[in-house]
Amino acid sequence: MGKIIVLRLGHRVYRDRRITTHVGLVARAFGADGIILSGEHDENVIKSLKNVVEKWGGPFSISYEKNWLKIIRDWKNQGIVIHLTMYGINLPDIIEKLRELYKQNKNFLIIVGAEKVPSIIFELADYNVAIGNQPHSEVAALAVFLDWLFTGKELTKELQNAEIKIIPSSHEKKIIRKKK
Amino acid sequence: MGKIIVLRLGHRVYRDRRITTHVGLVARAFGADGIILSGEHDENVIKSLKNVVEKWGGPFSISYEKNWLKIIRDWKNQGIVIHLTMYGINLPDIIEKLRELYKQNKNFLIIVGAEKVPSIIFELADYNVAIGNQPHSEVAALAVFLDWLFTGKELTKELQNAEIKIIPSSHEKKIIRKKK
């Protein structure tokens, strides 16, 4: 299968730390292969995400790149660029096409922005995709996008080298710890 | 159909403002009927959400209630209480049951917590549901839960009395404004 990498644009340390962390956690939990962070460099977010991979398993790559334009331009030679935006084509109208590309082993770069996204992103993206044409959240948009792309299978995927694992339970918290 | 209300527990003004706002936006955009905020009272979050309803349409109710325990206990007389938590039963294993209850016009209270959720919530909830048993985000959990419950139909639902509406577009931002 192709590689799925999330590019988080325009991170601001003060304002976006928790949202960007949630974007990273969602990328991992919903089956992406990694995240590239852009905007302000924020070691805290990188550290939080690495800790989660360490404890809960991977593989999941985390990196920082200031020059997002270069990332996108390079990516266009090796895969598809998808920008999640409420202005785009609504997910139900485009998902079949995207699933087909994924089945053809195409690599996907999935861009999620912070509040203002430069208009060049709309031009460079192969697909501007809306998860409903309503204002909500890049965290939700990414989760629902990946969930539709993988037709829900990501929710039962086992990750590798986890120290902690949850035993699903109807009324309590059950975890098991493994020695690595 | 039954009513779907989201209860956001344990809001902290400084730490959670943006996450709680995203939870509210997701509740509205993914077809819930309203949100009840608990934890610290935060007029800013309420105002942001009300502004979105004003501009982008509704109906969608927004209220604050300090006594979340009372809300949950009262709700148990009029509907089903669902707590979204990574420790719960994984969504694919419980969704059919929940869709059936929804078809029977049951009201749903969907609880999403902040970092630490009191253990009484696990006991009081009729269903503790995990959106994958991995750490990620209450914003994503709520979106994916509602998307599965409504089988994706919420993404094309028209809201009422909107001032602004997006015209989905492959490469630009197109909106129309209506006079109310």
Side-chain angles (χ1 to χ4, degrees):
Chain A
M1 285 293 153
K3 235 184 174 179
I4 309 265
I5 301 292
V6 173
L7 171 61
R8 164 59 159 174
L9 286 189
H11 175 71
R12 298 156 296 181
V13 171
Y14 172 74
R15 198 173 153 84
D16 296 322
R17 180 166 283 168
R18 292 195 66 221
I19 298 282
T20 299
T21 303
H22 283 216
V23 166
L25 293 175
V26 161
R28 175 190 163 278
F30 285 82
D33 297 291
I35 189 166
I36 302 167
L37 302 161
S38 197
E40 293 172 21
H41 187 270
D42 190 340
E43 204 46 45
N44 273 39
V45 171
I46 294 172
K47 222 173 117 183
S48 301
L49 294 176
K50 284 191 172 163
N51 278 344
V52 169
V53 175
E54 183 70 19
K55 267 196 196 165
W56 294 88
F60 182 76
S61 67
I62 302 145
S63 62
Y64 173 79
E65 174 58 57
K66 197 180 176 67
N67 190 347
W68 50 266
L69 197 54
K70 186 179 175 306
I71 297 276
I72 299 172
R73 288 200 165 128
D74 287 353
W75 196 272
K76 287 186 73 87
N77 299 320
Q78 48 156 317
I80 310 287
V81 175
I82 294 168
H83 173 217
L84 301 185
T85 163
M86 68 174 175
Y87 299 100
I89 303 298
N90 202 359
L91 185 64
D93 298 325
I94 193 77
I95 189 68
E96 285 307 330
K97 176 75 190 154
L98 299 177
R99 282 184 188 141
E100 206 178 286
L101 291 166
Y102 182 65
K103 274 186 204 148
Q104 291 164 17
N105 295 322
K106 301 284 188 198
N107 297 319
F108 282 23
L109 183 72
I110 302 172
I111 304 176
V112 288
E115 225 139 311
K116 291 280 171 201
V117 172
S119 64
I120 192 170
I121 302 288
F122 285 83
E123 293 160 35
L124 283 174
D126 298 300
Y127 298 94
N128 289 285
V129 178
I131 314 305
N133 297 103
Q134 292 287 333
H136 53 88
S137 166
E138 58 268 43
V139 181
L142 180 61
V144 173
F145 178 83
L146 292 171
D147 183 56
W148 280 53
L149 185 66
F150 298 135
T151 59
K153 291 189 187 73
E154 80 290 350
L155 295 183
T156 48
K157 197 175 143 187
E158 289 277 333
L159 290 150
Q160 292 157 36
N161 289 316
E163 281 174 19
I164 311 182
K165 214 188 128 182
I166 286 170
I167 309 297
S169 164
S170 62
H171 285 90
E172 52 188 327
K173 294 187 186 181
K174 280 189 200 168
I175 57 169
I176 44 172
R177 284 173 197 277
K178 297 179 200 170
K179 276 190 186 149
K180 275 200 184 172
Chain B
M1 285 294 153
K3 233 184 176 181
I4 309 263
I5 300 293
V6 173
L7 171 61
R8 165 58 161 174
L9 287 188
H11 175 72
R12 297 156 297 181
V13 171
Y14 173 73
R15 197 174 155 84
D16 296 321
R17 180 166 284 167
R18 293 195 64 222
I19 298 281
T20 299
T21 303
H22 282 217
V23 166
L25 293 175
V26 161
R28 174 189 162 280
F30 285 81
D33 296 291
I35 190 166
I36 302 168
L37 301 162
S38 196
E40 293 173 22
H41 186 268
D42 190 341
E43 204 48 44
N44 273 40
V45 171
I46 293 172
K47 222 172 117 184
S48 301
L49 295 176
K50 284 190 173 163
N51 278 345
V52 169
V53 174
E54 183 69 18
K55 267 195 195 167
W56 294 87
F60 183 75
S61 68
I62 301 145
S63 63
Y64 174 80
E65 173 58 56
K66 197 180 175 67
N67 191 347
W68 49 266
L69 197 53
K70 186 179 174 305
I71 297 276
I72 298 172
R73 288 201 164 125
D74 287 354
W75 196 271
K76 286 187 74 86
N77 299 320
Q78 49 156 316
I80 310 286
V81 175
I82 295 168
H83 172 217
L84 301 185
T85 162
M86 67 173 175
Y87 298 102
I89 302 297
N90 202 359
L91 186 63
D93 298 326
I94 193 79
I95 190 68
E96 285 307 330
K97 175 76 190 153
L98 299 176
R99 282 184 189 141
E100 205 178 287
L101 290 166
Y102 183 64
K103 273 185 205 151
Q104 291 163 19
N105 294 323
K106 301 284 186 195
N107 297 320
F108 283 23
L109 183 72
I110 303 172
I111 303 176
V112 288
E115 226 139 310
K116 291 280 170 200
V117 172
S119 63
I120 193 170
I121 302 289
F122 286 83
E123 293 160 33
L124 283 174
D126 297 302
Y127 298 95
N128 288 284
V129 178
I131 314 305
N133 296 103
Q134 291 287 333
H136 53 88
S137 166
E138 58 267 44
V139 180
L142 180 62
V144 173
F145 178 83
L146 292 171
D147 183 56
W148 280 52
L149 185 66
F150 298 136
T151 60
K153 292 190 185 71
E154 79 291 349
L155 294 182
T156 49
K157 196 175 144 186
E158 288 278 332
L159 290 150
Q160 292 158 34
N161 290 315
E163 281 174 19
I164 311 182
K165 214 188 127 179
I166 287 170
I167 310 296
S169 165
S170 61
H171 285 91
E172 53 188 326
K173 293 186 185 182
K174 282 189 199 166
I175 58 169
I176 44 173
R177 284 172 198 278
K178 297 177 202 172
K179 275 188 187 153
K180 273 196 186 178

